[in-house]
Amino acid sequence: MAKALLGYVGGPDPRMLSEMRRLQQRVQDLEAELARVQEENAALTAVADEHSLLSSIDLDHREPALT
């Protein structure tokens, strides 16, 4: 099967190997970008949760201050 994938006559094609290395590098770059974006999203979600907690306080129905 591997012979059919790589080409039985002449061994591996240097262009195909170069393209495969380029694509593998691209996959690694995209995986790193995905991890970075997921971390950034988690940080933004944490900040949004803090703000939503503060915004959930109803300021129109405050209890009077004790005097």
Side-chain angles (χ1 to χ4, degrees):
M1 184 68 174
K3 289 180 181 179
L5 292 175
L6 293 177
Y8 183 72
V9 179
D13 182 11
R15 293 173 295 174
M16 185 183 349
L17 292 176
S18 173
E19 180 69 8
M20 190 167 43
R21 276 190 231 106
R22 186 188 70 79
L23 291 173
Q24 287 172 341
Q25 182 62 47
R26 180 70 175 140
V27 168
Q28 289 175 356
D29 293 344
L30 289 172
E31 287 172 341
E33 179 72 9
L34 176 63
R36 185 190 67 77
V37 169
Q38 286 175 333
E39 289 174 9
E40 184 179 339
N41 188 41
L44 290 172
T45 301
V47 170
D49 288 342
E50 285 180 21
H51 288 298
S52 67
L53 178 64
L54 295 176
S55 65
S56 67
I57 298 172
D58 188 8
L59 298 177
D60 294 331
H61 295 94
R62 292 180 286 188
E63 295 183 15
L66 297 175
T67 55

